Amino acid sequence: MLKKFKGKTAFITGAASGFGKAFATEASHRGMNLALVDIDGKRLKEVAESLSNTGAEVLAITGDVSLQNVVDDAVKTAMTKFGQIDLLINDAGIVIEGNVWELPPHDMQWILDANVMSQVYTMHDVIPIMQKQGTPAHILNVASMAGLLTIPGMPAYHTSKFAAVGLSESTALDLETAGIDNVGMSVFTPGFVQTDLYHSQNHRPERFQDPDNPYYQSNTYKDGEKWMKKCIETGHTIASVVKPVFDAIENDTFYILTDSGYEGELNARAQRILDGTRPSV
Ligand SMILES: NC(=O)c1ccc[n+]([C@@H]2O[C@H](COP(=O)([O-])OP(=O)(O)OC[C@H]3O[C@@H](n4cnc5c(N)ncnc54)[C@H](O)[C@@H]3O)[C@@H](O)[C@H]2O)c1
């Protein structure tokens, strides 16, 4: 279990904003070296500078973690600078709303690449490093309550977050089966929290640009964006989740549920599965 953070290295994706920035800040308070990756180079630079000013060793890497070669290079760069990776936080992510028959399929591809394949690429590179180190290490995959429960209007986000939960659960099983017992694993499943997530369009990579697609003028899209902004702005504060998440890492808690009040829904979902009942709004 990763209990001593001082002098260890955290590799954090999506570190320029929201959860990623908050986790990087907490890791720096705990004396960790930081390898921070984000597609938004300008904001990442600001975060890196402010954390460096507090005395942390910070490596800022601008890059799109939905691309395997970018992740490969970032991991190599971090290893060259720090020589070890002890905490991997897979945080980078986006949201996009809209039902599956109107949402352009390339947006489903974008979200799967950003929210899921990014986690695949980092774990593929970092788990062998952690195994070789043989010292306590931990992986935190940021999923969402949307990876455990569904609501209308977000099939792309749900698909990506259910995948992130499944990827985390199955990797935990594989680590155990392979006897890689120095690597802990958690999946973080928060409800709505005040971040910049509703500005995900600003992080759309070039290969998924399609500005003339009429979908982005539709009410489905515009209403979805408005609704998401409201949900995020009225969510919990980010400060409320940081300590519980680091406590969970220290305690090797697998499912990190920082919101209370979902017990009824989670039990109802399990019962619906057993009963074969279709979900209903
Ligand atoms: N805010 C919430 O209510 C909430 C709830 C549950 C889960 N989450 C998850 O938390 C994670 C972080 O989101 P947030 O809420 O802090 O939002 P945010 O927009 O504030 O931060 C996300 C960061 O990820 C970066 N990013 C996006 N795509 C990237 C890419 N391809 N490569 C590299 N960096 C990329 C962005 O530039 C941004 O800095 C996401 O996975 C999100 O799905 C958020």
Side-chain angles (χ1 to χ4, degrees):
M1 275 189 274
L2 184 63
K3 283 191 174 291
K4 290 190 183 131
F5 296 86
K6 199 171 168 46
K8 307 279 178 167
T9 302
F11 184 100
I12 304 175
T13 70
S17 174
F19 288 126
K21 178 180 168 185
F23 294 149
T25 306
E26 178 64 19
S28 78
H29 291 158
R30 289 170 183 248
M32 298 190 86
N33 302 319
L34 304 173
L36 309 180
V37 194
D38 203 288
I39 200 169
D40 185 336
K42 187 167 171 281
R43 287 168 105 186
L44 183 66
K45 190 164 172 264
E46 287 162 14
V47 171
E49 276 171 9
S50 87
L51 295 179
S52 297
N53 289 341
T54 68
E57 275 287 329
V58 187
L59 171 68
I61 303 166
T62 300
D64 175 356
V65 293
S66 69
L67 295 171
Q68 186 175 6
N69 64 318
V70 171
V71 172
D72 291 349
D73 288 349
V75 170
K76 275 189 205 130
T77 309
M79 285 301 286
T80 302
K81 178 156 175 78
F82 297 121
Q84 63 193 82
I85 297 174
D86 309 283
L87 176 61
L88 167 62
I89 300 186
N90 274 319
D91 167 78
I94 56 121
V95 68
I96 183 151
E97 308 79 26
N99 61 61
V100 76
W101 62 92
E102 289 179 271
L103 184 74
H106 65 244
D107 278 354
M108 181 68 89
Q109 190 65 59
W110 171 31
I111 206 167
L112 289 174
D113 285 358
N115 293 10
V116 186
M117 291 312 294
S118 60
Q119 303 193 346
V120 170
Y121 300 142
T122 55
M123 290 199 292
H124 180 77
D125 287 356
V126 170
I127 289 175
I129 291 171
M130 291 175 162
Q131 181 183 18
K132 196 167 163 211
Q133 286 169 186
T135 49
H138 202 90
I139 298 168
L140 173 76
N141 286 336
V142 178
S144 169
M145 190 47 70
L148 300 172
L149 295 171
T150 45
I151 51 175
M154 311 203 296
Y157 195 65
H158 282 306
T159 303
S160 74
K161 294 303 182 181
F162 270 71
V165 171
L167 175 66
S168 307
E169 288 183 359
S170 121
T171 303
L173 295 175
D174 289 341
L175 288 169
E176 184 182 337
T177 308
I180 305 175
D181 55 11
N182 66 310
V183 181
M185 180 95 196
S186 301
V187 61
F188 176 37
T189 56
F192 290 115
V193 176
Q194 294 165 29
T195 67
D196 212 24
L197 192 62
Y198 57 89
H199 284 134
S200 290
Q201 291 299 336
N202 297 345
H203 314 130
R204 184 185 277 270
E206 188 63 38
R207 69 188 189 282
F208 294 117
Q209 297 285 351
D210 184 17
D212 298 332
N213 192 311
Y215 176 69
Y216 305 112
Q217 299 307 321
S218 70
N219 286 339
T220 306
Y221 175 72
K222 288 181 182 167
D223 292 348
E225 290 274 281
K226 259 189 244 156
W227 170 76
M228 181 54 65
K229 182 171 188 291
K230 193 170 163 211
C231 291
I232 297 283
E233 284 180 342
T234 54
H236 290 292
T237 62
I238 196 128
S240 66
V241 305
V242 175
K243 188 174 179 310
V245 168
F246 271 79
D247 288 349
I249 293 171
E250 281 186 90
N251 296 324
D252 203 18
T253 306
F254 183 78
Y255 299 100
I256 309 180
L257 281 80
T258 46
D259 294 44
S260 55
Y262 285 106
E263 295 80 359
E265 284 300 318
L266 290 165
N267 280 321
R269 173 182 170 79
Q271 195 56 54
R272 265 202 318 278
I273 292 169
L274 295 169
D275 294 345
T277 312
R278 169 183 165 148
S280 166
V281 292

PDB file of all heavy atoms in Angstrom, residues 39 64 94 96 103-104 106-107 110 199-211 215-216 221:
ATOM      1  N   ILE A  39      -3.658  18.343 -22.251  1.00  0.00           N
ATOM      2  CA  ILE A  39      -3.753  18.824 -23.636  1.00  0.00           C
ATOM      3  C   ILE A  39      -3.712  20.359 -23.678  1.00  0.00           C
ATOM      4  O   ILE A  39      -3.373  20.946 -24.691  1.00  0.00           O
ATOM      5  CB  ILE A  39      -5.048  18.274 -24.299  1.00  0.00           C
ATOM      6  CG1 ILE A  39      -4.962  18.319 -25.814  1.00  0.00           C
ATOM      7  CG2 ILE A  39      -6.286  18.969 -23.783  1.00  0.00           C
ATOM      8  CD1 ILE A  39      -6.094  17.541 -26.506  1.00  0.00           C
ATOM      9  N   ASP A  64      -1.846  15.188 -25.790  1.00  0.00           N
ATOM     10  CA  ASP A  64      -3.167  14.571 -25.864  1.00  0.00           C
ATOM     11  C   ASP A  64      -3.037  13.099 -25.458  1.00  0.00           C
ATOM     12  O   ASP A  64      -2.517  12.282 -26.222  1.00  0.00           O
ATOM     13  CB  ASP A  64      -3.667  14.710 -27.315  1.00  0.00           C
ATOM     14  CG  ASP A  64      -4.979  13.998 -27.560  1.00  0.00           C
ATOM     15  OD1 ASP A  64      -5.492  13.332 -26.641  1.00  0.00           O
ATOM     16  OD2 ASP A  64      -5.494  14.117 -28.692  1.00  0.00           O
ATOM     17  N   ILE A  94     -13.391  14.085 -20.635  1.00  0.00           N
ATOM     18  CA  ILE A  94     -14.314  15.066 -21.221  1.00  0.00           C
ATOM     19  C   ILE A  94     -15.734  14.533 -21.063  1.00  0.00           C
ATOM     20  O   ILE A  94     -15.938  13.359 -20.745  1.00  0.00           O
ATOM     21  CB  ILE A  94     -14.004  15.310 -22.715  1.00  0.00           C
ATOM     22  CG1 ILE A  94     -14.025  13.969 -23.511  1.00  0.00           C
ATOM     23  CG2 ILE A  94     -12.645  15.966 -22.894  1.00  0.00           C
ATOM     24  CD1 ILE A  94     -14.992  13.932 -24.604  1.00  0.00           C
ATOM     25  N   ILE A  96     -19.651  14.719 -23.145  1.00  0.00           N
ATOM     26  CA  ILE A  96     -20.477  15.229 -24.243  1.00  0.00           C
ATOM     27  C   ILE A  96     -21.852  14.594 -24.132  1.00  0.00           C
ATOM     28  O   ILE A  96     -21.974  13.412 -23.825  1.00  0.00           O
ATOM     29  CB  ILE A  96     -19.817  15.040 -25.627  1.00  0.00           C
ATOM     30  CG1 ILE A  96     -20.684  15.660 -26.703  1.00  0.00           C
ATOM     31  CG2 ILE A  96     -19.501  13.597 -25.944  1.00  0.00           C
ATOM     32  CD1 ILE A  96     -19.923  16.166 -27.895  1.00  0.00           C
ATOM     33  N   LEU A 103     -26.172  11.992 -31.739  1.00  0.00           N
ATOM     34  CA  LEU A 103     -24.758  12.321 -31.488  1.00  0.00           C
ATOM     35  C   LEU A 103     -23.889  11.777 -32.627  1.00  0.00           C
ATOM     36  O   LEU A 103     -23.978  10.587 -32.946  1.00  0.00           O
ATOM     37  CB  LEU A 103     -24.331  11.672 -30.167  1.00  0.00           C
ATOM     38  CG  LEU A 103     -22.922  11.983 -29.678  1.00  0.00           C
ATOM     39  CD1 LEU A 103     -22.836  13.402 -29.135  1.00  0.00           C
ATOM     40  CD2 LEU A 103     -22.507  10.989 -28.582  1.00  0.00           C
ATOM     41  N   PRO A 104     -23.054  12.624 -33.246  1.00  0.00           N
ATOM     42  CA  PRO A 104     -22.178  12.091 -34.299  1.00  0.00           C
ATOM     43  C   PRO A 104     -21.277  10.989 -33.723  1.00  0.00           C
ATOM     44  O   PRO A 104     -20.670  11.180 -32.666  1.00  0.00           O
ATOM     45  CB  PRO A 104     -21.347  13.313 -34.717  1.00  0.00           C
ATOM     46  CG  PRO A 104     -22.140  14.500 -34.273  1.00  0.00           C
ATOM     47  CD  PRO A 104     -22.880  14.067 -33.042  1.00  0.00           C
ATOM     48  N   HIS A 106     -18.412  10.121 -34.265  1.00  0.00           N
ATOM     49  CA  HIS A 106     -17.017  10.477 -33.965  1.00  0.00           C
ATOM     50  C   HIS A 106     -16.889  11.077 -32.553  1.00  0.00           C
ATOM     51  O   HIS A 106     -15.809  11.053 -31.963  1.00  0.00           O
ATOM     52  CB  HIS A 106     -16.395  11.392 -35.034  1.00  0.00           C
ATOM     53  CG  HIS A 106     -17.020  12.745 -35.140  1.00  0.00           C
ATOM     54  ND1 HIS A 106     -17.682  13.176 -36.262  1.00  0.00           N
ATOM     55  CD2 HIS A 106     -17.082  13.773 -34.263  1.00  0.00           C
ATOM     56  CE1 HIS A 106     -18.130  14.397 -36.065  1.00  0.00           C
ATOM     57  NE2 HIS A 106     -17.783  14.783 -34.859  1.00  0.00           N
ATOM     58  N   ASP A 107     -18.012  11.601 -31.999  1.00  0.00           N
ATOM     59  CA  ASP A 107     -17.945  12.105 -30.624  1.00  0.00           C
ATOM     60  C   ASP A 107     -17.865  10.953 -29.621  1.00  0.00           C
ATOM     61  O   ASP A 107     -17.234  11.082 -28.567  1.00  0.00           O
ATOM     62  CB  ASP A 107     -19.145  13.008 -30.324  1.00  0.00           C
ATOM     63  CG  ASP A 107     -18.911  14.419 -30.845  1.00  0.00           C
ATOM     64  OD1 ASP A 107     -17.791  14.692 -31.324  1.00  0.00           O
ATOM     65  OD2 ASP A 107     -19.834  15.242 -30.775  1.00  0.00           O
ATOM     66  N   TRP A 110     -14.300  10.054 -29.753  1.00  0.00           N
ATOM     67  CA  TRP A 110     -13.494  11.033 -28.997  1.00  0.00           C
ATOM     68  C   TRP A 110     -13.531  10.725 -27.493  1.00  0.00           C
ATOM     69  O   TRP A 110     -12.503  10.647 -26.820  1.00  0.00           O
ATOM     70  CB  TRP A 110     -14.023  12.451 -29.286  1.00  0.00           C
ATOM     71  CG  TRP A 110     -13.441  13.546 -28.439  1.00  0.00           C
ATOM     72  CD1 TRP A 110     -12.176  13.604 -27.904  1.00  0.00           C
ATOM     73  CD2 TRP A 110     -14.110  14.742 -28.021  1.00  0.00           C
ATOM     74  NE1 TRP A 110     -12.024  14.772 -27.178  1.00  0.00           N
ATOM     75  CE2 TRP A 110     -13.187  15.477 -27.235  1.00  0.00           C
ATOM     76  CE3 TRP A 110     -15.384  15.273 -28.238  1.00  0.00           C
ATOM     77  CZ2 TRP A 110     -13.514  16.725 -26.665  1.00  0.00           C
ATOM     78  CZ3 TRP A 110     -15.702  16.513 -27.682  1.00  0.00           C
ATOM     79  CH2 TRP A 110     -14.779  17.208 -26.902  1.00  0.00           C
ATOM     80  N   HIS A 199     -16.712  22.700 -20.124  1.00  0.00           N
ATOM     81  CA  HIS A 199     -15.985  23.334 -21.235  1.00  0.00           C
ATOM     82  C   HIS A 199     -15.169  22.312 -22.034  1.00  0.00           C
ATOM     83  O   HIS A 199     -14.168  22.658 -22.644  1.00  0.00           O
ATOM     84  CB  HIS A 199     -15.041  24.430 -20.707  1.00  0.00           C
ATOM     85  CG  HIS A 199     -15.754  25.681 -20.327  1.00  0.00           C
ATOM     86  ND1 HIS A 199     -15.509  26.366 -19.149  1.00  0.00           N
ATOM     87  CD2 HIS A 199     -16.722  26.371 -20.960  1.00  0.00           C
ATOM     88  CE1 HIS A 199     -16.304  27.415 -19.084  1.00  0.00           C
ATOM     89  NE2 HIS A 199     -17.048  27.444 -20.167  1.00  0.00           N
ATOM     90  N   SER A 200     -15.622  21.063 -22.025  1.00  0.00           N
ATOM     91  CA  SER A 200     -14.852  20.001 -22.699  1.00  0.00           C
ATOM     92  C   SER A 200     -14.596  20.303 -24.177  1.00  0.00           C
ATOM     93  O   SER A 200     -13.593  19.856 -24.737  1.00  0.00           O
ATOM     94  CB  SER A 200     -15.590  18.661 -22.594  1.00  0.00           C
ATOM     95  OG  SER A 200     -15.562  18.190 -21.275  1.00  0.00           O
ATOM     96  N   GLN A 201     -15.504  21.068 -24.803  1.00  0.00           N
ATOM     97  CA  GLN A 201     -15.312  21.364 -26.237  1.00  0.00           C
ATOM     98  C   GLN A 201     -13.976  22.053 -26.497  1.00  0.00           C
ATOM     99  O   GLN A 201     -13.428  21.955 -27.592  1.00  0.00           O
ATOM    100  CB  GLN A 201     -16.464  22.231 -26.772  1.00  0.00           C
ATOM    101  CG  GLN A 201     -17.792  21.520 -26.851  1.00  0.00           C
ATOM    102  CD  GLN A 201     -17.772  20.312 -27.777  1.00  0.00           C
ATOM    103  OE1 GLN A 201     -16.951  20.216 -28.692  1.00  0.00           O
ATOM    104  NE2 GLN A 201     -18.664  19.369 -27.542  1.00  0.00           N
ATOM    105  N   ASN A 202     -13.466  22.749 -25.482  1.00  0.00           N
ATOM    106  CA  ASN A 202     -12.174  23.438 -25.653  1.00  0.00           C
ATOM    107  C   ASN A 202     -11.014  22.446 -25.789  1.00  0.00           C
ATOM    108  O   ASN A 202      -9.918  22.837 -26.151  1.00  0.00           O
ATOM    109  CB  ASN A 202     -11.874  24.334 -24.438  1.00  0.00           C
ATOM    110  CG  ASN A 202     -12.896  25.441 -24.293  1.00  0.00           C
ATOM    111  OD1 ASN A 202     -13.639  25.697 -25.228  1.00  0.00           O
ATOM    112  ND2 ASN A 202     -12.945  26.079 -23.125  1.00  0.00           N
ATOM    113  N   HIS A 203     -11.271  21.169 -25.443  1.00  0.00           N
ATOM    114  CA  HIS A 203     -10.185  20.178 -25.457  1.00  0.00           C
ATOM    115  C   HIS A 203     -10.350  19.160 -26.573  1.00  0.00           C
ATOM    116  O   HIS A 203      -9.783  18.079 -26.517  1.00  0.00           O
ATOM    117  CB  HIS A 203     -10.110  19.460 -24.100  1.00  0.00           C
ATOM    118  CG  HIS A 203     -10.179  20.394 -22.939  1.00  0.00           C
ATOM    119  ND1 HIS A 203     -11.035  20.207 -21.887  1.00  0.00           N
ATOM    120  CD2 HIS A 203      -9.516  21.542 -22.701  1.00  0.00           C
ATOM    121  CE1 HIS A 203     -10.904  21.217 -21.044  1.00  0.00           C
ATOM    122  NE2 HIS A 203      -9.991  22.039 -21.513  1.00  0.00           N
ATOM    123  N   ARG A 204     -11.175  19.535 -27.562  1.00  0.00           N
ATOM    124  CA  ARG A 204     -11.442  18.614 -28.685  1.00  0.00           C
ATOM    125  C   ARG A 204     -10.225  18.567 -29.605  1.00  0.00           C
ATOM    126  O   ARG A 204      -9.838  19.589 -30.187  1.00  0.00           O
ATOM    127  CB  ARG A 204     -12.666  19.128 -29.456  1.00  0.00           C
ATOM    128  CG  ARG A 204     -13.125  18.239 -30.582  1.00  0.00           C
ATOM    129  CD  ARG A 204     -14.267  18.921 -31.327  1.00  0.00           C
ATOM    130  NE  ARG A 204     -15.558  18.722 -30.697  1.00  0.00           N
ATOM    131  CZ  ARG A 204     -16.380  17.709 -30.963  1.00  0.00           C
ATOM    132  NH1 ARG A 204     -16.045  16.802 -31.848  1.00  0.00           N
ATOM    133  NH2 ARG A 204     -17.540  17.615 -30.363  1.00  0.00           N
ATOM    134  N   PRO A 205      -9.594  17.409 -29.757  1.00  0.00           N
ATOM    135  CA  PRO A 205      -8.424  17.329 -30.636  1.00  0.00           C
ATOM    136  C   PRO A 205      -8.794  17.576 -32.105  1.00  0.00           C
ATOM    137  O   PRO A 205      -9.938  17.351 -32.514  1.00  0.00           O
ATOM    138  CB  PRO A 205      -7.921  15.894 -30.454  1.00  0.00           C
ATOM    139  CG  PRO A 205      -8.544  15.412 -29.184  1.00  0.00           C
ATOM    140  CD  PRO A 205      -9.844  16.139 -29.065  1.00  0.00           C
ATOM    141  N   GLU A 206      -7.806  18.012 -32.853  1.00  0.00           N
ATOM    142  CA  GLU A 206      -7.958  18.337 -34.268  1.00  0.00           C
ATOM    143  C   GLU A 206      -8.690  17.219 -35.038  1.00  0.00           C
ATOM    144  O   GLU A 206      -9.582  17.480 -35.836  1.00  0.00           O
ATOM    145  CB  GLU A 206      -6.533  18.536 -34.847  1.00  0.00           C
ATOM    146  CG  GLU A 206      -6.452  19.074 -36.253  1.00  0.00           C
ATOM    147  CD  GLU A 206      -7.027  20.462 -36.416  1.00  0.00           C
ATOM    148  OE1 GLU A 206      -6.845  21.292 -35.494  1.00  0.00           O
ATOM    149  OE2 GLU A 206      -7.665  20.697 -37.463  1.00  0.00           O
ATOM    150  N   ARG A 207      -8.339  15.955 -34.743  1.00  0.00           N
ATOM    151  CA  ARG A 207      -8.894  14.858 -35.556  1.00  0.00           C
ATOM    152  C   ARG A 207     -10.386  14.640 -35.318  1.00  0.00           C
ATOM    153  O   ARG A 207     -11.030  13.922 -36.090  1.00  0.00           O
ATOM    154  CB  ARG A 207      -8.117  13.561 -35.309  1.00  0.00           C
ATOM    155  CG  ARG A 207      -8.297  12.933 -33.934  1.00  0.00           C
ATOM    156  CD  ARG A 207      -7.307  11.771 -33.760  1.00  0.00           C
ATOM    157  NE  ARG A 207      -7.540  10.969 -32.571  1.00  0.00           N
ATOM    158  CZ  ARG A 207      -7.187  11.330 -31.329  1.00  0.00           C
ATOM    159  NH1 ARG A 207      -6.630  12.521 -31.105  1.00  0.00           N
ATOM    160  NH2 ARG A 207      -7.410  10.521 -30.323  1.00  0.00           N
ATOM    161  N   PHE A 208     -10.947  15.267 -34.278  1.00  0.00           N
ATOM    162  CA  PHE A 208     -12.383  15.133 -34.039  1.00  0.00           C
ATOM    163  C   PHE A 208     -13.146  16.439 -34.306  1.00  0.00           C
ATOM    164  O   PHE A 208     -14.313  16.561 -33.957  1.00  0.00           O
ATOM    165  CB  PHE A 208     -12.647  14.657 -32.602  1.00  0.00           C
ATOM    166  CG  PHE A 208     -12.142  13.263 -32.350  1.00  0.00           C
ATOM    167  CD1 PHE A 208     -11.144  13.040 -31.422  1.00  0.00           C
ATOM    168  CD2 PHE A 208     -12.649  12.191 -33.062  1.00  0.00           C
ATOM    169  CE1 PHE A 208     -10.668  11.763 -31.193  1.00  0.00           C
ATOM    170  CE2 PHE A 208     -12.178  10.903 -32.851  1.00  0.00           C
ATOM    171  CZ  PHE A 208     -11.184  10.680 -31.914  1.00  0.00           C
ATOM    172  N   GLN A 209     -12.466  17.418 -34.911  1.00  0.00           N
ATOM    173  CA  GLN A 209     -13.146  18.692 -35.226  1.00  0.00           C
ATOM    174  C   GLN A 209     -14.134  18.470 -36.369  1.00  0.00           C
ATOM    175  O   GLN A 209     -13.808  17.817 -37.358  1.00  0.00           O
ATOM    176  CB  GLN A 209     -12.113  19.756 -35.667  1.00  0.00           C
ATOM    177  CG  GLN A 209     -11.095  20.143 -34.609  1.00  0.00           C
ATOM    178  CD  GLN A 209     -11.673  21.045 -33.514  1.00  0.00           C
ATOM    179  OE1 GLN A 209     -12.804  21.519 -33.640  1.00  0.00           O
ATOM    180  NE2 GLN A 209     -10.905  21.259 -32.469  1.00  0.00           N
ATOM    181  N   ASP A 210     -15.333  19.027 -36.222  1.00  0.00           N
ATOM    182  CA  ASP A 210     -16.362  18.887 -37.268  1.00  0.00           C
ATOM    183  C   ASP A 210     -17.373  20.022 -37.071  1.00  0.00           C
ATOM    184  O   ASP A 210     -18.564  19.787 -36.849  1.00  0.00           O
ATOM    185  CB  ASP A 210     -17.038  17.503 -37.099  1.00  0.00           C
ATOM    186  CG  ASP A 210     -18.044  17.195 -38.177  1.00  0.00           C
ATOM    187  OD1 ASP A 210     -18.022  17.867 -39.228  1.00  0.00           O
ATOM    188  OD2 ASP A 210     -18.872  16.284 -37.950  1.00  0.00           O
ATOM    189  N   PRO A 211     -16.898  21.287 -37.111  1.00  0.00           N
ATOM    190  CA  PRO A 211     -17.747  22.412 -36.668  1.00  0.00           C
ATOM    191  C   PRO A 211     -19.013  22.604 -37.486  1.00  0.00           C
ATOM    192  O   PRO A 211     -19.989  23.145 -36.970  1.00  0.00           O
ATOM    193  CB  PRO A 211     -16.810  23.626 -36.802  1.00  0.00           C
ATOM    194  CG  PRO A 211     -15.717  23.196 -37.711  1.00  0.00           C
ATOM    195  CD  PRO A 211     -15.585  21.711 -37.576  1.00  0.00           C
ATOM    196  N   TYR A 215     -25.478  18.839 -35.977  1.00  0.00           N
ATOM    197  CA  TYR A 215     -25.788  18.401 -34.605  1.00  0.00           C
ATOM    198  C   TYR A 215     -25.481  19.492 -33.584  1.00  0.00           C
ATOM    199  O   TYR A 215     -26.229  19.688 -32.632  1.00  0.00           O
ATOM    200  CB  TYR A 215     -24.998  17.124 -34.262  1.00  0.00           C
ATOM    201  CG  TYR A 215     -25.221  16.720 -32.821  1.00  0.00           C
ATOM    202  CD1 TYR A 215     -26.455  16.238 -32.404  1.00  0.00           C
ATOM    203  CD2 TYR A 215     -24.220  16.900 -31.866  1.00  0.00           C
ATOM    204  CE1 TYR A 215     -26.681  15.914 -31.067  1.00  0.00           C
ATOM    205  CE2 TYR A 215     -24.439  16.574 -30.532  1.00  0.00           C
ATOM    206  CZ  TYR A 215     -25.671  16.090 -30.145  1.00  0.00           C
ATOM    207  OH  TYR A 215     -25.899  15.794 -28.834  1.00  0.00           O
ATOM    208  N   TYR A 216     -24.392  20.241 -33.831  1.00  0.00           N
ATOM    209  CA  TYR A 216     -23.956  21.235 -32.833  1.00  0.00           C
ATOM    210  C   TYR A 216     -24.845  22.489 -32.844  1.00  0.00           C
ATOM    211  O   TYR A 216     -24.652  23.376 -32.039  1.00  0.00           O
ATOM    212  CB  TYR A 216     -22.470  21.583 -33.030  1.00  0.00           C
ATOM    213  CG  TYR A 216     -21.615  20.326 -33.001  1.00  0.00           C
ATOM    214  CD1 TYR A 216     -20.960  19.885 -34.150  1.00  0.00           C
ATOM    215  CD2 TYR A 216     -21.523  19.549 -31.852  1.00  0.00           C
ATOM    216  CE1 TYR A 216     -20.230  18.708 -34.148  1.00  0.00           C
ATOM    217  CE2 TYR A 216     -20.796  18.369 -31.843  1.00  0.00           C
ATOM    218  CZ  TYR A 216     -20.151  17.952 -32.991  1.00  0.00           C
ATOM    219  OH  TYR A 216     -19.447  16.784 -32.981  1.00  0.00           O
ATOM    220  N   TYR A 221     -28.269  19.120 -28.555  1.00  0.00           N
ATOM    221  CA  TYR A 221     -26.908  19.460 -28.144  1.00  0.00           C
ATOM    222  C   TYR A 221     -26.898  20.677 -27.211  1.00  0.00           C
ATOM    223  O   TYR A 221     -26.311  20.644 -26.123  1.00  0.00           O
ATOM    224  CB  TYR A 221     -26.057  19.743 -29.389  1.00  0.00           C
ATOM    225  CG  TYR A 221     -24.664  20.215 -29.053  1.00  0.00           C
ATOM    226  CD1 TYR A 221     -23.719  19.338 -28.525  1.00  0.00           C
ATOM    227  CD2 TYR A 221     -24.301  21.552 -29.235  1.00  0.00           C
ATOM    228  CE1 TYR A 221     -22.446  19.768 -28.193  1.00  0.00           C
ATOM    229  CE2 TYR A 221     -23.032  21.988 -28.908  1.00  0.00           C
ATOM    230  CZ  TYR A 221     -22.113  21.105 -28.388  1.00  0.00           C
ATOM    231  OH  TYR A 221     -20.863  21.536 -28.053  1.00  0.00           O
TER     232      TYR A 221
END
